[in-house]
């Protein structure tokens, strides 16, 4: 897992640490750790005793994941008002996230894996993750026998469309969904010798029905893409999963 994705990456973030055994989200009794509680207190969100992770989730859902008029949770890239509201806490919170290990690179512990799973993201995140895969192969000597791109049928968001508008599409099909975008990004990289010969498998998770408005379905989540991948009955073996902290 690479460190935190741009533009939030800081050279001060510890890198190349061994795999972290625990992010200390819970304590020895299974309750939210003091690190988690402190973050909520700093942001003024701890208005009652926090006993379970469900308590934490309820607070985060209420304050950071407002729903649109169709009952769908707003996407992270559409939460500018949340960024403005809580942006002042960033300097205090980032060191706390470091204590939780949420901004560190988690390097592979093996030199060879049966399969690599590249998780979906915005076009910027996918570019960053693909570059990380290339670095693992060329600089880290990490090898894998198969690659799966885990994406879905969500449409491109506004910033992604703006990025795509800057390209010349005369000889290429313009991507309309997340998975098509992931395939485009991967297919337009100059792959090193050996990597270009590896099979690339596409996992395309469908949109999910919205009970409140059938014309406004929910986008598939990362969990949904894993479910679709499992439906392919992958052979048992080792997997290297490429995401970005803090995810």
């Amino acid at each position: 897992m690479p460190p935190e994705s741009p533009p939030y990456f800081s050279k001060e973030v510890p890198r190349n640490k061994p795999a972290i055994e625990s992010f200390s989200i819970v304590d020895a009794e299974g309750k939210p750790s003091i690190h988690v509680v402190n973050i909520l207190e700093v942001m003024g969100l701890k208005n009652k005793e926090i006993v379970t992770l469900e308590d934490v989730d309820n607070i985060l859902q209420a304050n950071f994941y407002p729903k649109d008029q169709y009952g769908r949770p707003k996407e992270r890239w559409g939460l500018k008002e949340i960024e403005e509201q809580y942006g002042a806490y960033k300097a205090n919170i980032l060191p706390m996230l470091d204590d939780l290990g949420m901004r560190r690179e988690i390097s592979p512990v093996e030199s060879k894996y049966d399969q690599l799973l590249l998780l979906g993201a915005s076009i910027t995140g996918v570019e960053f993750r693909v570059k990380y895969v290339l670095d693992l192969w060329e600089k880290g000597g990490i090898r894998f026998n198969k690659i799966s791109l885990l994406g879905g049928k969500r449409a491109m968001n506004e910033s992604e469309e703006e990025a795509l508008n800057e390209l010349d599409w005369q000889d290429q099909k313009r991507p309309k969904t997340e998975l098509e975008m992931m395939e485009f990004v991967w297919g337009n990289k100059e792959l090193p010798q050996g990597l270009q010969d590896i099979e690339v498998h596409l996992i395309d998770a469908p949109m999910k029905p919205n009970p409140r408005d059938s014309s406004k379905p929910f986008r598939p989540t990362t969990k949904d893409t894993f479910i679709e991948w499992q439906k392919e009955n992958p052979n048992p073996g080792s997997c290297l999963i490429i995401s970005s902290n803090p995810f």
Side-chain angles (χ1 to χ4, degrees):
M1 179 183 291
E4 193 175 19
S5 302
Y8 307 104
F9 176 69
S10 166
K11 292 182 179 179
E12 299 178 356
V13 176
R15 302 193 67 196
N16 298 319
K17 298 291 184 180
I20 301 172
E21 294 182 0
S22 171
F23 290 145
S24 302
I25 292 177
V26 296
D27 60 21
E29 298 179 353
K31 297 180 179 180
S33 72
I34 188 63
H35 302 293
V36 174
V37 174
N38 285 344
I39 290 175
L40 296 178
E41 286 184 337
V42 166
M43 300 182 73
L45 299 176
K46 184 179 179 295
N47 53 15
K48 66 174 184 177
E49 183 179 6
I50 298 175
V51 179
T52 67
L53 285 180
E54 184 177 3
D55 295 333
V56 176
D57 184 59
N58 289 337
I59 292 173
L60 297 179
Q61 292 292 335
N63 290 276
F64 294 100
Y65 294 95
K67 292 181 172 57
D68 64 18
Q69 64 190 84
Y70 304 105
R72 300 174 302 184
K74 290 185 178 181
E75 301 291 356
R76 289 187 297 274
W77 49 80
L79 297 178
K80 292 183 179 180
E81 67 276 11
I82 301 295
E83 294 181 13
E84 294 173 358
Q85 181 179 356
Y86 292 103
Y89 299 103
K90 183 176 180 179
N92 292 328
I93 291 174
L94 289 182
M96 296 180 177
L97 295 178
D98 288 339
D99 291 339
L100 287 167
M102 285 189 172
R103 298 204 303 154
R104 290 178 178 170
E105 175 181 358
I106 303 177
S107 302
V109 296
E110 305 291 343
S111 61
K112 187 171 183 179
Y113 294 83
D114 294 307
Q115 185 167 176
L116 179 138
L117 306 182
L118 181 68
L119 305 188
S122 67
I123 190 169
T124 303
V126 170
E127 286 272 6
F128 184 61
R129 295 176 189 185
V130 169
K131 182 182 182 302
Y132 185 71
V133 172
L134 301 185
D135 287 344
L136 288 178
W137 183 279
E138 294 186 284
K139 301 177 183 179
I142 306 299
R143 297 293 182 263
F144 27 87
N145 299 326
K146 182 179 179 181
I147 299 169
S148 289
L149 306 183
L150 274 62
K153 291 189 178 299
R154 74 158 177 86
M156 298 289 90
N157 62 48
E158 183 177 346
S159 62
E160 289 172 326
E161 291 288 5
E162 291 176 355
L164 295 175
N165 286 339
E166 299 177 2
L167 303 177
D168 182 1
W169 296 101
Q170 291 184 3
D171 300 323
Q172 298 187 79
K173 177 184 176 182
R174 181 180 175 124
K176 296 181 179 179
T177 68
E178 177 187 47
L179 183 63
E180 290 178 359
M181 174 267 291
M182 295 175 69
E183 185 180 13
F184 167 77
V185 172
W186 181 265
N188 280 273
K189 293 298 181 184
E190 185 175 345
L191 302 179
Q193 185 176 4
L195 183 56
Q196 55 191 293
D197 300 323
I198 295 180
E199 174 188 2
V200 177
H201 190 52
L202 306 179
I203 302 298
D204 196 8
M207 297 292 284
K208 299 186 295 184
N210 181 348
R212 292 180 55 179
D213 189 334
S214 59
S215 68
K216 303 292 181 181
F218 296 117
R219 72 166 177 87
T221 63
T222 300
K223 177 181 177 180
D224 297 319
T225 65
F226 272 108
I227 292 174
E228 290 299 312
W229 174 69
Q230 290 177 325
K231 290 179 181 179
E232 300 291 325
N233 295 317
N235 294 326
S238 57
C239 283
L240 176 60
I241 301 175
I242 305 299
S243 183
S244 308
N245 265 332
F247 310 112

PDB file of all heavy atoms in Angstrom, residues 25-50:
ATOM      1  N   ILE A  25      -6.814   1.085  16.472  1.00  0.00           N
ATOM      2  CA  ILE A  25      -8.154   1.656  16.414  1.00  0.00           C
ATOM      3  C   ILE A  25      -8.956   1.216  17.632  1.00  0.00           C
ATOM      4  O   ILE A  25      -9.805   1.954  18.126  1.00  0.00           O
ATOM      5  CB  ILE A  25      -8.851   1.237  15.110  1.00  0.00           C
ATOM      6  CG1 ILE A  25      -8.155   1.907  13.926  1.00  0.00           C
ATOM      7  CG2 ILE A  25     -10.328   1.598  15.129  1.00  0.00           C
ATOM      8  CD1 ILE A  25      -8.709   1.514  12.589  1.00  0.00           C
ATOM      9  N   VAL A  26      -8.668   0.006  18.122  1.00  0.00           N
ATOM     10  CA  VAL A  26      -9.329  -0.491  19.326  1.00  0.00           C
ATOM     11  C   VAL A  26      -8.274  -0.824  20.371  1.00  0.00           C
ATOM     12  O   VAL A  26      -7.116  -1.096  20.041  1.00  0.00           O
ATOM     13  CB  VAL A  26     -10.193  -1.737  19.026  1.00  0.00           C
ATOM     14  CG1 VAL A  26     -11.323  -1.383  18.084  1.00  0.00           C
ATOM     15  CG2 VAL A  26      -9.351  -2.863  18.435  1.00  0.00           C
ATOM     16  N   ASP A  27      -8.693  -0.804  21.627  1.00  0.00           N
ATOM     17  CA  ASP A  27      -7.774  -1.157  22.702  1.00  0.00           C
ATOM     18  C   ASP A  27      -7.872  -2.645  23.014  1.00  0.00           C
ATOM     19  O   ASP A  27      -8.536  -3.403  22.290  1.00  0.00           O
ATOM     20  CB  ASP A  27      -8.047  -0.303  23.941  1.00  0.00           C
ATOM     21  CG  ASP A  27      -9.464  -0.481  24.484  1.00  0.00           C
ATOM     22  OD1 ASP A  27     -10.104  -1.512  24.191  1.00  0.00           O
ATOM     23  OD2 ASP A  27      -9.933   0.417  25.208  1.00  0.00           O
ATOM     24  N   ALA A  28      -7.228  -3.058  24.100  1.00  0.00           N
ATOM     25  CA  ALA A  28      -7.195  -4.474  24.461  1.00  0.00           C
ATOM     26  C   ALA A  28      -8.582  -5.033  24.775  1.00  0.00           C
ATOM     27  O   ALA A  28      -8.818  -6.238  24.668  1.00  0.00           O
ATOM     28  CB  ALA A  28      -6.266  -4.682  25.653  1.00  0.00           C
ATOM     29  N   GLU A  29      -9.518  -4.166  25.143  1.00  0.00           N
ATOM     30  CA  GLU A  29     -10.883  -4.598  25.460  1.00  0.00           C
ATOM     31  C   GLU A  29     -11.815  -4.517  24.258  1.00  0.00           C
ATOM     32  O   GLU A  29     -13.018  -4.767  24.376  1.00  0.00           O
ATOM     33  CB  GLU A  29     -11.434  -3.753  26.612  1.00  0.00           C
ATOM     34  CG  GLU A  29     -10.637  -3.890  27.905  1.00  0.00           C
ATOM     35  CD  GLU A  29     -11.199  -3.017  29.005  1.00  0.00           C
ATOM     36  OE1 GLU A  29     -12.123  -2.217  28.718  1.00  0.00           O
ATOM     37  OE2 GLU A  29     -10.735  -3.133  30.159  1.00  0.00           O
ATOM     38  N   GLY A  30     -11.275  -4.118  23.104  1.00  0.00           N
ATOM     39  CA  GLY A  30     -12.102  -4.023  21.908  1.00  0.00           C
ATOM     40  C   GLY A  30     -12.866  -2.716  21.795  1.00  0.00           C
ATOM     41  O   GLY A  30     -13.707  -2.561  20.904  1.00  0.00           O
ATOM     42  N   LYS A  31     -12.560  -1.766  22.671  1.00  0.00           N
ATOM     43  CA  LYS A  31     -13.221  -0.460  22.623  1.00  0.00           C
ATOM     44  C   LYS A  31     -12.392   0.498  21.772  1.00  0.00           C
ATOM     45  O   LYS A  31     -11.191   0.291  21.586  1.00  0.00           O
ATOM     46  CB  LYS A  31     -13.373   0.101  24.044  1.00  0.00           C
ATOM     47  CG  LYS A  31     -14.258  -0.732  24.949  1.00  0.00           C
ATOM     48  CD  LYS A  31     -14.360  -0.101  26.335  1.00  0.00           C
ATOM     49  CE  LYS A  31     -15.253  -0.920  27.244  1.00  0.00           C
ATOM     50  NZ  LYS A  31     -15.351  -0.317  28.601  1.00  0.00           N
ATOM     51  N   PRO A  32     -13.011   1.564  21.243  1.00  0.00           N
ATOM     52  CA  PRO A  32     -12.244   2.547  20.471  1.00  0.00           C
ATOM     53  C   PRO A  32     -11.052   3.049  21.283  1.00  0.00           C
ATOM     54  O   PRO A  32     -11.186   3.397  22.447  1.00  0.00           O
ATOM     55  CB  PRO A  32     -13.260   3.661  20.212  1.00  0.00           C
ATOM     56  CG  PRO A  32     -14.582   2.961  20.222  1.00  0.00           C
ATOM     57  CD  PRO A  32     -14.455   1.887  21.265  1.00  0.00           C
ATOM     58  N   SER A  33      -9.888   3.070  20.655  1.00  0.00           N
ATOM     59  CA  SER A  33      -8.667   3.449  21.362  1.00  0.00           C
ATOM     60  C   SER A  33      -8.651   4.934  21.691  1.00  0.00           C
ATOM     61  O   SER A  33      -9.415   5.736  21.149  1.00  0.00           O
ATOM     62  CB  SER A  33      -7.442   3.096  20.515  1.00  0.00           C
ATOM     63  OG  SER A  33      -7.355   3.987  19.414  1.00  0.00           O
ATOM     64  N   ILE A  34      -7.722   5.290  22.549  1.00  0.00           N
ATOM     65  CA  ILE A  34      -7.586   6.684  22.959  1.00  0.00           C
ATOM     66  C   ILE A  34      -7.219   7.558  21.759  1.00  0.00           C
ATOM     67  O   ILE A  34      -7.590   8.731  21.694  1.00  0.00           O
ATOM     68  CB  ILE A  34      -6.522   6.817  24.077  1.00  0.00           C
ATOM     69  CG1 ILE A  34      -6.505   8.235  24.649  1.00  0.00           C
ATOM     70  CG2 ILE A  34      -5.157   6.411  23.569  1.00  0.00           C
ATOM     71  CD1 ILE A  34      -7.789   8.651  25.317  1.00  0.00           C
ATOM     72  N   HIS A  35      -6.507   6.994  20.767  1.00  0.00           N
ATOM     73  CA  HIS A  35      -6.146   7.761  19.572  1.00  0.00           C
ATOM     74  C   HIS A  35      -7.401   8.213  18.827  1.00  0.00           C
ATOM     75  O   HIS A  35      -7.514   9.363  18.393  1.00  0.00           O
ATOM     76  CB  HIS A  35      -5.280   6.909  18.642  1.00  0.00           C
ATOM     77  CG  HIS A  35      -4.024   6.413  19.258  1.00  0.00           C
ATOM     78  ND1 HIS A  35      -2.996   7.245  19.630  1.00  0.00           N
ATOM     79  CD2 HIS A  35      -3.617   5.157  19.583  1.00  0.00           C
ATOM     80  CE1 HIS A  35      -2.012   6.543  20.151  1.00  0.00           C
ATOM     81  NE2 HIS A  35      -2.364   5.268  20.133  1.00  0.00           N
ATOM     82  N   VAL A  36      -8.345   7.295  18.657  1.00  0.00           N
ATOM     83  CA  VAL A  36      -9.587   7.604  17.947  1.00  0.00           C
ATOM     84  C   VAL A  36     -10.406   8.622  18.728  1.00  0.00           C
ATOM     85  O   VAL A  36     -10.917   9.602  18.161  1.00  0.00           O
ATOM     86  CB  VAL A  36     -10.406   6.325  17.713  1.00  0.00           C
ATOM     87  CG1 VAL A  36     -11.766   6.651  17.115  1.00  0.00           C
ATOM     88  CG2 VAL A  36      -9.643   5.365  16.806  1.00  0.00           C
ATOM     89  N   VAL A  37     -10.538   8.406  20.018  1.00  0.00           N
ATOM     90  CA  VAL A  37     -11.324   9.309  20.858  1.00  0.00           C
ATOM     91  C   VAL A  37     -10.714  10.709  20.855  1.00  0.00           C
ATOM     92  O   VAL A  37     -11.431  11.720  20.790  1.00  0.00           O
ATOM     93  CB  VAL A  37     -11.417   8.761  22.297  1.00  0.00           C
ATOM     94  CG1 VAL A  37     -12.119   9.773  23.209  1.00  0.00           C
ATOM     95  CG2 VAL A  37     -12.167   7.434  22.310  1.00  0.00           C
ATOM     96  N   ASN A  38      -9.386  10.795  20.896  1.00  0.00           N
ATOM     97  CA  ASN A  38      -8.718  12.101  20.902  1.00  0.00           C
ATOM     98  C   ASN A  38      -9.009  12.882  19.631  1.00  0.00           C
ATOM     99  O   ASN A  38      -9.185  14.108  19.658  1.00  0.00           O
ATOM    100  CB  ASN A  38      -7.216  11.930  21.076  1.00  0.00           C
ATOM    101  CG  ASN A  38      -6.833  11.586  22.501  1.00  0.00           C
ATOM    102  OD1 ASN A  38      -7.631  11.748  23.425  1.00  0.00           O
ATOM    103  ND2 ASN A  38      -5.618  11.100  22.689  1.00  0.00           N
ATOM    104  N   ILE A  39      -9.042  12.187  18.496  1.00  0.00           N
ATOM    105  CA  ILE A  39      -9.335  12.864  17.227  1.00  0.00           C
ATOM    106  C   ILE A  39     -10.732  13.472  17.260  1.00  0.00           C
ATOM    107  O   ILE A  39     -10.937  14.618  16.867  1.00  0.00           O
ATOM    108  CB  ILE A  39      -9.209  11.873  16.049  1.00  0.00           C
ATOM    109  CG1 ILE A  39      -7.736  11.511  15.835  1.00  0.00           C
ATOM    110  CG2 ILE A  39      -9.797  12.468  14.768  1.00  0.00           C
ATOM    111  CD1 ILE A  39      -7.506  10.462  14.778  1.00  0.00           C
ATOM    112  N   LEU A  40     -11.696  12.715  17.763  1.00  0.00           N
ATOM    113  CA  LEU A  40     -13.065  13.224  17.846  1.00  0.00           C
ATOM    114  C   LEU A  40     -13.148  14.403  18.806  1.00  0.00           C
ATOM    115  O   LEU A  40     -13.879  15.375  18.563  1.00  0.00           O
ATOM    116  CB  LEU A  40     -14.006  12.104  18.286  1.00  0.00           C
ATOM    117  CG  LEU A  40     -14.140  10.913  17.319  1.00  0.00           C
ATOM    118  CD1 LEU A  40     -15.074   9.862  17.902  1.00  0.00           C
ATOM    119  CD2 LEU A  40     -14.621  11.369  15.954  1.00  0.00           C
ATOM    120  N   GLU A  41     -12.406  14.332  19.903  1.00  0.00           N
ATOM    121  CA  GLU A  41     -12.426  15.432  20.871  1.00  0.00           C
ATOM    122  C   GLU A  41     -11.835  16.700  20.266  1.00  0.00           C
ATOM    123  O   GLU A  41     -12.376  17.802  20.445  1.00  0.00           O
ATOM    124  CB  GLU A  41     -11.647  15.028  22.125  1.00  0.00           C
ATOM    125  CG  GLU A  41     -12.385  14.026  23.008  1.00  0.00           C
ATOM    126  CD  GLU A  41     -11.619  13.716  24.283  1.00  0.00           C
ATOM    127  OE1 GLU A  41     -10.382  13.910  24.289  1.00  0.00           O
ATOM    128  OE2 GLU A  41     -12.243  13.286  25.266  1.00  0.00           O
ATOM    129  N   VAL A  42     -10.729  16.580  19.562  1.00  0.00           N
ATOM    130  CA  VAL A  42     -10.087  17.741  18.956  1.00  0.00           C
ATOM    131  C   VAL A  42     -11.025  18.437  17.976  1.00  0.00           C
ATOM    132  O   VAL A  42     -11.053  19.670  17.873  1.00  0.00           O
ATOM    133  CB  VAL A  42      -8.779  17.321  18.246  1.00  0.00           C
ATOM    134  CG1 VAL A  42      -8.272  18.435  17.333  1.00  0.00           C
ATOM    135  CG2 VAL A  42      -7.714  16.970  19.277  1.00  0.00           C
ATOM    136  N   MET A  43     -11.836  17.645  17.282  1.00  0.00           N
ATOM    137  CA  MET A  43     -12.751  18.198  16.281  1.00  0.00           C
ATOM    138  C   MET A  43     -14.095  18.608  16.873  1.00  0.00           C
ATOM    139  O   MET A  43     -14.988  19.050  16.159  1.00  0.00           O
ATOM    140  CB  MET A  43     -12.968  17.175  15.166  1.00  0.00           C
ATOM    141  CG  MET A  43     -11.685  16.789  14.457  1.00  0.00           C
ATOM    142  SD  MET A  43     -11.961  15.640  13.102  1.00  0.00           S
ATOM    143  CE  MET A  43     -12.710  16.733  11.900  1.00  0.00           C
ATOM    144  N   GLY A  44     -14.230  18.452  18.186  1.00  0.00           N
ATOM    145  CA  GLY A  44     -15.463  18.850  18.855  1.00  0.00           C
ATOM    146  C   GLY A  44     -16.632  17.926  18.562  1.00  0.00           C
ATOM    147  O   GLY A  44     -17.796  18.351  18.610  1.00  0.00           O
ATOM    148  N   LEU A  45     -16.339  16.660  18.288  1.00  0.00           N
ATOM    149  CA  LEU A  45     -17.393  15.716  17.912  1.00  0.00           C
ATOM    150  C   LEU A  45     -17.722  14.714  19.008  1.00  0.00           C
ATOM    151  O   LEU A  45     -18.625  13.888  18.834  1.00  0.00           O
ATOM    152  CB  LEU A  45     -16.979  14.951  16.641  1.00  0.00           C
ATOM    153  CG  LEU A  45     -16.753  15.806  15.402  1.00  0.00           C
ATOM    154  CD1 LEU A  45     -16.262  14.951  14.254  1.00  0.00           C
ATOM    155  CD2 LEU A  45     -18.034  16.535  15.013  1.00  0.00           C
ATOM    156  N   LYS A  46     -17.007  14.762  20.109  1.00  0.00           N
ATOM    157  CA  LYS A  46     -17.269  13.820  21.196  1.00  0.00           C
ATOM    158  C   LYS A  46     -18.260  14.456  22.169  1.00  0.00           C
ATOM    159  O   LYS A  46     -17.900  15.146  23.103  1.00  0.00           O
ATOM    160  CB  LYS A  46     -15.975  13.441  21.923  1.00  0.00           C
ATOM    161  CG  LYS A  46     -16.168  12.380  23.004  1.00  0.00           C
ATOM    162  CD  LYS A  46     -14.836  12.039  23.657  1.00  0.00           C
ATOM    163  CE  LYS A  46     -15.025  10.986  24.751  1.00  0.00           C
ATOM    164  NZ  LYS A  46     -15.836  11.507  25.874  1.00  0.00           N
ATOM    165  N   ASN A  47     -19.552  14.203  21.912  1.00  0.00           N
ATOM    166  CA  ASN A  47     -20.579  14.792  22.762  1.00  0.00           C
ATOM    167  C   ASN A  47     -21.215  13.779  23.707  1.00  0.00           C
ATOM    168  O   ASN A  47     -22.176  14.080  24.395  1.00  0.00           O
ATOM    169  CB  ASN A  47     -21.664  15.456  21.907  1.00  0.00           C
ATOM    170  CG  ASN A  47     -22.223  14.489  20.878  1.00  0.00           C
ATOM    171  OD1 ASN A  47     -22.020  13.286  20.961  1.00  0.00           O
ATOM    172  ND2 ASN A  47     -22.926  15.036  19.892  1.00  0.00           N
ATOM    173  N   LYS A  48     -20.679  12.556  23.708  1.00  0.00           N
ATOM    174  CA  LYS A  48     -21.177  11.537  24.633  1.00  0.00           C
ATOM    175  C   LYS A  48     -20.082  10.497  24.818  1.00  0.00           C
ATOM    176  O   LYS A  48     -19.054  10.519  24.131  1.00  0.00           O
ATOM    177  CB  LYS A  48     -22.441  10.879  24.092  1.00  0.00           C
ATOM    178  CG  LYS A  48     -22.219  10.073  22.818  1.00  0.00           C
ATOM    179  CD  LYS A  48     -23.478   9.325  22.416  1.00  0.00           C
ATOM    180  CE  LYS A  48     -23.214   8.439  21.199  1.00  0.00           C
ATOM    181  NZ  LYS A  48     -24.399   7.637  20.829  1.00  0.00           N
ATOM    182  N   GLU A  49     -20.314   9.581  25.745  1.00  0.00           N
ATOM    183  CA  GLU A  49     -19.323   8.536  25.966  1.00  0.00           C
ATOM    184  C   GLU A  49     -19.270   7.608  24.747  1.00  0.00           C
ATOM    185  O   GLU A  49     -20.292   7.169  24.237  1.00  0.00           O
ATOM    186  CB  GLU A  49     -19.675   7.723  27.213  1.00  0.00           C
ATOM    187  CG  GLU A  49     -18.627   6.660  27.543  1.00  0.00           C
ATOM    188  CD  GLU A  49     -18.966   5.883  28.792  1.00  0.00           C
ATOM    189  OE1 GLU A  49     -20.080   6.091  29.336  1.00  0.00           O
ATOM    190  OE2 GLU A  49     -18.130   5.063  29.220  1.00  0.00           O
ATOM    191  N   ILE A  50     -18.073   7.350  24.292  1.00  0.00           N
ATOM    192  CA  ILE A  50     -17.877   6.478  23.134  1.00  0.00           C
ATOM    193  C   ILE A  50     -17.443   5.109  23.632  1.00  0.00           C
ATOM    194  O   ILE A  50     -16.354   4.949  24.197  1.00  0.00           O
ATOM    195  CB  ILE A  50     -16.822   7.075  22.180  1.00  0.00           C
ATOM    196  CG1 ILE A  50     -17.309   8.425  21.657  1.00  0.00           C
ATOM    197  CG2 ILE A  50     -16.531   6.124  21.021  1.00  0.00           C
ATOM    198  CD1 ILE A  50     -16.296   9.157  20.818  1.00  0.00           C
TER     199      ILE A  50
END
